[in-house]
């Protein structure tokens, strides 16, 4: 009887463990650099799913991905993607509305030759020491695209 109970407990622990591990990550940092719309959208989908599972979310847009943050974003950032007709920028704005913080890399705006007024409302400019602290925090998981 003891062996059966132990096996049952082990089976239950195996089923419960993945969910527990997912909730252990209180903070998710998504670093997006890709200019590819499907990759951009998938990074936002996974960030949204992580938020729905209870994680806090911070998105850092660098290089070509910084264009998602622009008021006058390129068509690739705003064009609907299959299968649900959502654009990378629209989903990014949706996760912001649900509490995610989105920032562009500190060198993005100077490299682009524009000021902070070119960014969508609610998007800031990352401060490297603060980003480093996020990345090194014990409760952080990092996704990079």
């Amino acid at each position: 009887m003891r062996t059966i109970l132990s096996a049952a407990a082990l089976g239950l622990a195996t089923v419960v463990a993945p969910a527990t591990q997912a909730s252990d990550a209180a903070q998710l940092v998504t670093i997006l650099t890709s200019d590819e719309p499907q990759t951009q959208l998938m990074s936002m989908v996974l960030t949204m799913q992580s938020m729905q599972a209870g994680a806090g979310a911070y998105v850092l847009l660098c290089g070509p991905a910084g264009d998602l943050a622009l008021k006058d974003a390129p068509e690739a950032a705003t064009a609907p993607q299959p299968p649900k007709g959502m654009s990378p920028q629209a989903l990014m704005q949706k996760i912001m509305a649900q509490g995610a913080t989105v920032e562009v890399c500190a060198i993005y705006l100077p490299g682009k030759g524009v000021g902070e007024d070119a960014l969508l409302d609610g998007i800031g400019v990352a401060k490297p020491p603060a980003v480093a602290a996020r990345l090194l925090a014990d409760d952080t998981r990092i996704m990079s695209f």
Side-chain angles (χ1 to χ4, degrees), residues 71-134:
K71 291 175 184 172
D72 187 22
E75 184 180 350
T78 60
Q81 297 289 320
K84 297 195 177 197
M86 181 71 72
S87 75
Q89 189 184 65
L91 188 52
M92 178 190 72
Q93 290 176 304
K94 186 173 180 179
I95 67 171
M96 288 172 59
Q98 293 184 10
T101 299
V102 177
E103 294 182 325
V104 295
C105 284
I107 60 175
Y108 174 76
L109 293 174
K112 194 84 171 163
V114 296
E116 284 188 55
D117 59 330
L119 298 175
L120 292 168
D121 290 341
I123 296 180
V125 177
K127 293 174 179 48
V131 174
R134 284 181 187 273

Side-chain angles (χ1 to χ4, degrees), residues 18 28 34 42 46 49 63-64 97 124 136:
L28 173 68
S34 175
M42 195 64 204
L46 293 175
Q49 290 296 313
L136 295 173

Side-chain angles (χ1 to χ4, degrees), residues 1 4 20 22 27 34 40 44 50 59 73 75 90 93 95 105 110 125 129 137 143:
M1 181 72 167
I4 294 171
T20 302
Q27 296 297 316
S34 175
Q40 292 175 345
M44 296 302 146
S50 297
V59 178
E75 184 180 350
Q93 290 176 304
I95 67 171
C105 284
V125 177
M143 286 194 306

